[in-house]
């Protein structure tokens, strides 16, 4: 699964630390998400979508191997 | 997401210290020097083959629900090792989130697989009296493997490079 969290974060002018604090995870988790090393739970994905005022589909996208 | 089965983070440092100290003491007890540290006491035994009159082992003469005299230093050490080990292994991280939970679950699965692989190898290739050492180590080996693996993975997690 790929995502455009980094782009969304840049649009909203947030650092990884800012974003982490707003949705209640650690900075490292945001880092791993952006690097595609971690697939978030539905709850976390919905929280991110809500924060960026987008739908989950606009941020996260399935890849062929998923 | 909230997890209810983990101990509070404030127990982490103290339980880690107790675990380390009691583990070292337990290993010392199992070596030759350990004999000097014996504290004999009358203890309740669910099952025993110690003869009450002479305090010697009588092989095959099993008794149930009785009192025997035995050194209790290893029992005390094992109590501290297991309790502090469990608390240290399963207390919350400073910043507990779902990725930490996934790392913990992953470490637990690998620790279980690694532990039973080692135990199986020992079962197949260790014979005679040394096998009792394998059984003693098996008391806490999974806990140690899990703690080492989880701490290593958390160290890797905390030192992830900031890509900004």
């Amino acid at each position: 699964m790929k995502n455009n969290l980094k782009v969304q974060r840049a649009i909203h002018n947030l650092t990884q630390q800012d974003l982490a604090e707003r949705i209640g995870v650690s900075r490292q988790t945001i880092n791993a998400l952006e690097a595609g090393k971690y697939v978030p739970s539905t709850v976390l994905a919905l929280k991110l979508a809500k924060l960026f005022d987008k739908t989950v589909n606009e941020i996260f996208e399935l890849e062929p191997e998923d | 997401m909230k997890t209810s089965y983990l101990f509070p983070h404030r127990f982490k440092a103290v339980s880690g210290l107790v675990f380390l100290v009691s583990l070292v003491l337990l290993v010392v007890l199992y070596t030759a020097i350990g004999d000097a540290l014996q504290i004999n006491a009358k203890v309740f035994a669910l099952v025993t083959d110690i003869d009450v009159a002479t305090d010697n082992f009588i092989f095959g003469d099993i008794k149930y629900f009785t009192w025997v005299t035995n050194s209790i230093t290893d029992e005390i050490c094992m109590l501290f090792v297991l309790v502090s080990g469990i608390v240290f292994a399963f207390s919350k991280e400073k910043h507990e989130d779902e990725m930490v939970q996934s790392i913990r679950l992953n470490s637990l699965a690998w620790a279980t697989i690694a532990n039973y692989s080692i135990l199986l190898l020992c079962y197949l290739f260790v014979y005679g009296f040394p096998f009792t050492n394998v059984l003693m180590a098996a008391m806490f080996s999974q806990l140690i493997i899990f703690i080492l693996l989880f701490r290593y993975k958390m160290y890797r997690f905390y030192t992830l490079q900031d890509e900004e």
Side-chain angles (χ1 to χ4, degrees), chain A residues 9 15-16 25-26 28-29 31 38 41 44, chain B residues 97-99 102 157-158 160-164:
Chain A
R9 195 162 57 76
T15 65
Q16 288 186 338
V25 297
S26 63
Q28 287 83 359
T29 300
N31 193 313
Y38 179 65
S41 69
L44 188 54
Chain B
D97 67 11
E98 60 174 58
M99 194 174 174
S102 106
F157 178 67
Y158 283 134
L160 269 180
Q161 282 301 304
D162 211 333
E163 287 171 23
E164 291 185 274

